[in-house]
Amino acid sequence: MDDYRRIADRITADIASGRLRPGQQLPPQRVFARRRGIAGSTAGRVYAELVRRGLVVGEVGRGTFVRAAASAGPYGRALVEPSTAAPVNLELNYPSAPGQSELLAPALAPLLRPDVLTEALRPAPATGTAAAREAVADLLATPAWSPAPDRILFTGNARQAIAATLASLVRPGGRVGVEPLTYPLVREIAGRLGVTLVALEADGGGLRPESVRAAHRAGPLSALYLQPTLHNPTSVTTGEARKREIADVVRELGLPCVEDRIWSFLHPDSPAPLAAHAPDLVHAVDGLSKRVAPGLTVGFVVVPEERVDEVAGAIRSGGWSAGRFALEAGVRWMTDGTVARLVEAKRADAGARQRLVAEELAGFTVRADPLTYYAWWELPPPWRADTFTAAATAHGIAVTPGTTFTADPTRSPNAVRLGLASATVPDLRRALRTLAALAGGGAGGTPVSGGRVG
């Protein structure tokens, strides 16, 4: 199953060693497959993995090329003076509140008693436990939406909840409508399921409902996957009126939806979820990885009443069930107030980090909600996303090129996403300052004027 990753590792080694040079074109996928004695679909996965790693870029009508590296070029010293500072990773995005481990530890202590541990190490069904269902129902409830506990299913993390839900909804060869910029792992999930992603249209208010109708007329869609609250990477939150319009369209078309709410906890006053407007069609996915920690987490999905058995079957067949120990720990954290305290701390932390972005990237075009842990930076000319990513790497800073998020491979947004959560605050400030100088005129340069932060 992971053969394509091993092949990608070998290509990665060739790039690192210089056997494949920046700008060098890779053979067409069918030629690559023939030379390697692999299936065309496997070659496609290899190339997609190299794109995901940021090592190659596909240009429509031209082919696939090794990305620009740290060498001299039109951007001068920015590409030839690698930083000696420790790397700052603005690709990863795992928030951690001050004193988080001290907050989490007390709830784990009772689980270590032999009698409790015996039960906590048993397998957990997709339906979890009654206590877990009640705890999650309380956690997710909003003034306009109170999910029924018996409609909640559990997975190891939110990504598995997305995969299981899509697997239950879409047959191989089916089409799933997504926002034009979408969660990168959904592309990988779609590839594994043999599903085609269809890029819909969006504006400053979120997904445009008429684009759903248009795409469905062009070829029936099997489902939608959306991030209507604090969309990653653009930070857009779809308003109440637009959500009602989307709900009207999906009801009209009988089109099931997967609503990704993994970052919604940062927005305490967000409009009601899409699931509140179309509960018979919307599958709302969430989890504890961002609220708590990525290492011991649980994912969950609120499903339409008549689909509980079908989605539970997909969870079992995919091996995506939640670990019972993590489930028991999560219940304790939710019910003793730990999760609520972590959420408040992370909201404050995200706000502080966004203020750094506003300060250090003033004058540039940055799309970011003050509540989020990410920012979408539309780069000034003459920068391209791939060359800027390479230049940032040469300065010890990892950023995510915009192509990582594009659902339509023919579109290459000239932007990068900055993940703000994982770096320390001093490292984040230093990295933002370095990137601003880089974007504005090369190493030691000053940011260009114009643009906005907002």
Side-chain angles (χ1 to χ4, degrees), residues 25 28 57-65 409-412:
Q25 185 174 9
V57 60
E59 299 185 11
V60 177
R62 294 190 60 210
T64 302
F65 298 83
T410 67
R411 297 180 183 178
S412 299

Side-chain angles (χ1 to χ4, degrees), residues 226 228 243-244 246-247 250 257 259 261 272-279 282:
L226 307 175
K243 284 183 180 177
R244 291 184 184 277
I246 295 171
V250 299
C257 303
E259 179 181 12
R261 292 182 53 77
L274 188 61
H277 300 296
V282 177

Side-chain angles (χ1 to χ4, degrees), residues 120-129 154 315-316 320-325 327:
L121 294 179
R122 297 183 188 279
T127 52
T129 64
F154 296 86
I315 292 172
R316 288 192 297 271
W320 292 314
S321 297
R324 183 64 172 266
F325 188 90
L327 194 63

Side-chain angles (χ1 to χ4, degrees), residues 357-366 377-380 436 439-440 447-454:
V357 172
E359 293 168 13
E360 301 297 341
L361 299 186
F364 292 101
T365 302
V366 179
W377 186 2
E378 297 174 3
L379 298 169
V448 297
S449 60
R452 62 179 176 83
V453 171

Side-chain angles (χ1 to χ4, degrees), residues 31-32 100 142 147 154-155 161 231 256 259 284 303 308 313 330 357 391 408 438 449:
V31 175
F32 183 88
Q100 179 166 297
T142 72
F154 296 86
T155 58
H231 176 272
E259 179 181 12
V303 303
V308 170
V357 172
D408 182 349
L438 188 61
S449 60

Side-chain angles (χ1 to χ4, degrees), residues 19 41 57 70 72 77 114 130 141 143 158 197 248 256 259 261 268 287 298 318 410 412-413 432 435 449:
R19 286 191 292 272
S41 59
V57 60
R77 289 182 299 156
L197 296 185
D248 289 343
E259 179 181 12
R261 292 182 53 77
V298 175
T410 67
S412 299
L432 292 173
L435 293 174
S449 60

